[in-house]
Amino acid sequence: MATLYKTAQTEFKDVEDLIEEREKKSNIKQRVLMVSSRGVTFRQRHLMNDLEALLPHAKKESKIEAKQDIELLNELADIQNCNNVFYFESRKHQDLYFWISRAPSGPSVKFHVQNIHTMDELKMTGNCLKGSRPILSFDASFDTEPHFQLLKEIFTQTFAVPKGARKSKPFFDHVFSFSIVDGRIWFRNYQIVEKDPETGGDLAKNTKPTLVEIGPRFVLNTMRIFEGSFGGPTLYENPKFISPNAVRAAIRSRHSAKYAERASRVVGREAREQANPLPQDPLKDVFE
């Protein structure tokens, strides 16, 4: 407040006018807290590191126990001065669940992450400046359903790097692509290439820039959307979602059905042999 009075004295302005100008200029900064549960695999950990490198406004926190109360993440976000939370929950060392929450009031979304491919694994030719701001590209299908519109707004507030964020650069040199295919959200990251790949010089005046994929890749299958942060009333539940445990149980039951069919054939063959015994050979004891 003292600086406002000094500014008012030097510039001959009213203090209240300066306060209003300061409030107009200031906006809510989006900060993301990234937390994972214990038991994550190396691929899941590398995916988390890739997202941390792509989001300069993200802060990484130590791992937490998955069995603890998940609502403690709201307190961690308050301590770290973050209003968004990315929580990577690993189960059975093979299933990854991705939470995106607006702390502390909500809403929050729970996804099942599939088809994970990290940047080290893909080794794409694309590259971007570390700390640069991305352009968000959404499929037209995001405007068709109410829950897709909500997800679009959540992705915009979490993945878009705000202007003036810490460790960020004032450049746009890559694109985050969100596409809806088969009811799932496909994430891709592309570099914006404004130079000729053959000569290395600048493109012609009417030539459009090209896109080269950087990575990572993953697919998000929406499970539920909650009204609160990490809980509360359910706003949307995906009726087509099948849990990985149910998929593995179906595979085991299919294999067990094959075994049961093979065992029933063995029992049937033994029953037929007992019902139809072979006749005694009259020449069996001739050479004894």
Side-chain angles (χ1 to χ4, degrees), residues 68-118:
Q68 289 182 352
D69 192 2
I70 198 174
E71 295 181 356
L72 293 176
L73 294 172
N74 294 325
E75 299 181 6
L76 289 176
D78 188 19
I79 294 172
Q80 296 291 340
N81 196 19
C82 296
N83 48 10
N84 301 288
V85 179
F86 283 0
Y87 178 50
F88 297 85
E89 182 182 1
S90 179
R91 295 183 183 177
K92 297 184 178 180
H93 299 281
Q94 53 184 342
D95 300 329
L96 180 63
Y97 298 95
F98 181 34
W99 288 82
I100 300 179
S101 175
R102 290 280 299 173
S105 58
S108 58
V109 191
K110 186 178 182 181
F111 300 98
H112 177 225
V113 186
Q114 299 173 321
N115 301 334
I116 299 175
H117 299 283
T118 61

Side-chain angles (χ1 to χ4, degrees), residues 208-222:
K208 295 182 180 179
T210 58
L211 298 178
V212 179
E213 188 172 358
I214 305 173
R217 294 178 177 178
F218 57 88
V219 179
L220 300 176
N221 192 3
T222 309

Side-chain angles (χ1 to χ4, degrees), residues 63-241:
K63 298 178 183 179
I64 65 171
E65 295 289 343
K67 295 183 180 179
Q68 289 182 352
D69 192 2
I70 198 174
E71 295 181 356
L72 293 176
L73 294 172
N74 294 325
E75 299 181 6
L76 289 176
D78 188 19
I79 294 172
Q80 296 291 340
N81 196 19
C82 296
N83 48 10
N84 301 288
V85 179
F86 283 0
Y87 178 50
F88 297 85
E89 182 182 1
S90 179
R91 295 183 183 177
K92 297 184 178 180
H93 299 281
Q94 53 184 342
D95 300 329
L96 180 63
Y97 298 95
F98 181 34
W99 288 82
I100 300 179
S101 175
R102 290 280 299 173
S105 58
S108 58
V109 191
K110 186 178 182 181
F111 300 98
H112 177 225
V113 186
Q114 299 173 321
N115 301 334
I116 299 175
H117 299 283
T118 61
M119 285 192 284
D120 293 337
E121 181 183 359
L122 292 174
K123 295 181 179 179
M124 294 291 186
T125 58
N127 194 8
C128 65
L129 182 67
K130 186 174 182 180
S132 60
R133 301 172 62 193
I135 298 174
L136 302 187
S137 174
F138 291 95
D139 190 2
S141 302
F142 276 96
D143 297 328
T144 57
E145 298 290 339
H147 65 279
F148 284 147
Q149 296 176 0
L150 179 58
L151 291 177
K152 179 180 179 181
E153 183 64 26
I154 292 175
F155 289 147
T156 303
Q157 295 184 9
T158 53
F159 282 90
V161 179
K163 183 179 180 180
R166 68 183 190 97
K167 300 181 182 180
S168 65
K169 306 293 189 303
F171 307 108
F172 294 93
D173 61 352
H174 61 287
V175 179
F176 287 167
S177 173
F178 297 89
S179 305
I180 298 177
V181 181
D182 296 333
R184 295 173 173 83
I185 301 172
W186 295 58
F187 176 86
R188 296 291 186 270
N189 181 24
Y190 298 97
Q191 175 195 0
I192 303 175
V193 180
E194 296 180 349
K195 292 187 177 182
D196 191 352
E198 296 181 358
T199 62
D202 296 335
L203 294 175
K205 190 173 182 180
N206 297 327
T207 306
K208 295 182 180 179
T210 58
L211 298 178
V212 179
E213 188 172 358
I214 305 173
R217 294 178 177 178
F218 57 88
V219 179
L220 300 176
N221 192 3
T222 309
M223 296 174 59
R224 283 192 180 187
I225 302 177
F226 299 94
E227 183 178 356
S229 179
F230 298 102
T234 301
L235 299 179
Y236 171 78
E237 183 177 2
N238 188 3
K240 298 181 180 179
F241 175 74

Side-chain angles (χ1 to χ4, degrees), residues 249-267:
I251 294 174
R252 288 195 300 268
S253 64
R254 186 162 61 246
H255 289 310
S256 63
K258 292 181 180 178
Y259 172 76
E261 182 181 358
R262 187 166 61 251
S264 64
R265 287 200 298 266
V266 172
V267 173

